[in-house]
Amino acid sequence: MSESLKALLDLLDLEQIENDIFRGRSPEERRQRVFGGQVAGQALVAAGRTVPVNRPVHSLHAYFIRPGDPLVPIVYTVDRVRDGRSFTTRRVLAVQHGKAIFSLSASFQIVEDGPAHQAPMPEAPAPETLPTSRERLTPLFGERAAADFVEQRPFDIRHATPLTWEAAKDPALATPESKVWLRVDGELPDDPLLHVCLMTYASDMTLLDTVLLNHGLAWGDKRTMGASLDHAMWFHRPFRADEWLLYFQDTPFAGGARGLARGQVFTRSGDLVVSVMQEGLVRTSAP
């Protein structure tokens, strides 16, 4: 297990300070704000710890309200909205400096049978045939910067489509679709909630990039800035975050300084296990 994955698992292991009140922290990194996937994953951990283990989460809907301060802890308060015969509903509020920075509603359901169908898995090269993130980033930013960037990520991510920085250099590479293979960098215990929370963390890593990729823009290009506004996920089937997952992403709309991106997560065998939607702030200035 990589050191970055150990650190992430430690971040997701929230401290319980009272009934339905938990405390989380941020990694010791130089960031202006808390990574959205982190606060979403921690909020889902808080909600899941108040729900019986035989009721897996099937959906979450969240809003990013204020930028999180990485220098102080985040307090998560859980509201037990409903405990029904089949469904359990929880609402979580993340607070810093006395103000809400994030809100999440999550629904959990007992395991039931019913009619089943799914969208087909798109074609993509096998992850082993693709270059690593370090190999893709080195020509763009140099070996040292690429190594530092990859070491901080607890996921092995391999792009089957152009990176935003590549499309920013070559407009012919711009595309409204992105295909990314990902898995955590190590083996995980058999805890379904942990695998779901890790995918919640990862779902925010590349999704909004798809909007930029469609326009030949990139974070850090000195003309583009943005932030996640809201996030929704639906969990269809059990999966493991330490096995390869294909994250297929596209962007159906952008306008009004906002961009909409959606994602589908498939196992290597072709099962659709997660669906994602996110709207983000995307502002640009003259180059």
Side-chain angles (χ1 to χ4, degrees):
M1 184 180 294
S2 68
E3 292 301 318
S4 58
L5 178 55
K6 291 179 182 178
L8 176 56
L9 296 181
D10 187 48
L11 292 180
L12 294 177
D13 187 17
L14 302 182
E15 175 191 1
Q16 184 166 359
I17 57 178
E18 186 52 87
N19 289 336
D20 301 338
I21 302 177
F22 302 84
R23 180 162 50 203
R25 59 180 182 83
S26 299
E28 296 179 358
E29 299 175 2
R30 293 183 178 180
R31 287 187 176 182
Q32 293 181 333
R33 59 190 179 198
V34 177
F35 171 55
Q38 174 198 318
V39 68
Q42 288 179 330
L44 186 56
V45 169
R49 288 189 178 178
T50 70
V51 178
V53 295
N54 64 344
R55 296 193 176 202
V57 61
H58 73 87
S59 70
L60 66 83
H61 300 263
Y63 281 94
F64 298 90
I65 302 171
R66 292 182 177 88
D69 183 350
L71 300 179
V72 300
I74 306 172
V75 175
Y76 297 91
T77 60
V78 181
D79 181 10
R80 301 186 183 226
V81 178
R82 182 174 184 266
D83 290 290
R85 287 183 295 179
S86 300
F87 290 87
T88 294
T89 306
R90 294 291 184 263
R91 184 166 52 236
V92 182
L93 196 64
V95 177
Q96 282 185 318
H97 303 297
K99 297 180 179 180
I101 65 168
F102 176 85
S103 68
L104 175 142
S105 294
S107 182
F108 303 75
Q109 181 192 9
I110 61 172
V111 178
E112 299 184 67
D113 292 326
H117 69 269
Q118 70 159 72
M121 180 180 180
E123 294 184 1
E128 295 85 359
T129 66
L130 297 170
T132 65
S133 292
R134 183 171 180 172
E135 292 169 337
R136 291 287 289 272
L137 292 172
T138 296
L140 295 167
F141 302 108
E143 186 173 350
R144 177 63 181 273
D148 290 344
F149 180 82
V150 171
E151 286 176 2
Q152 295 175 7
R153 284 199 164 188
F155 285 82
D156 185 352
I157 298 178
R158 308 199 181 190
H159 291 257
T161 47
L163 304 178
T164 55
W165 300 287
E166 293 170 338
K169 289 178 175 291
D170 183 358
L173 297 177
T175 171
E177 295 183 351
S178 175
K179 298 175 184 177
V180 176
W181 286 101
L182 58 82
R183 66 178 178 182
V184 295
D185 195 9
E187 295 184 8
L188 297 173
D190 296 329
D191 180 353
L193 180 62
L194 176 62
H195 291 261
V196 166
C197 291
L198 285 166
M199 187 62 231
T200 301
Y201 178 98
S203 67
D204 191 39
M205 295 175 71
T206 60
L207 189 54
L208 204 56
D209 290 359
T210 313
V211 177
L212 305 189
L213 185 61
N214 193 39
H215 294 273
L217 302 170
W219 308 122
D221 63 4
K222 298 183 179 180
R223 60 173 300 203
T224 306
M225 66 85 64
S228 301
L229 295 175
D230 60 6
H231 199 81
M233 300 182 71
W234 296 265
F235 303 96
H236 310 307
R237 296 185 177 101
F239 62 90
R240 295 190 63 89
D242 53 3
E243 296 178 353
W244 285 115
L245 298 168
L246 178 65
Y247 195 9
F248 173 65
Q249 302 150 90
D250 70 345
T251 175
F253 175 81
R258 301 185 313 277
L260 183 66
R262 58 190 174 190
Q264 294 176 312
V265 182
F266 296 86
T267 64
R268 196 157 186 173
S269 60
D271 290 334
L272 177 62
V273 292
V274 184
S275 295
V276 190
M277 292 286 289
Q278 184 183 85
E279 187 175 48
L281 175 69
V282 180
R283 288 182 177 144
T284 59
S285 60

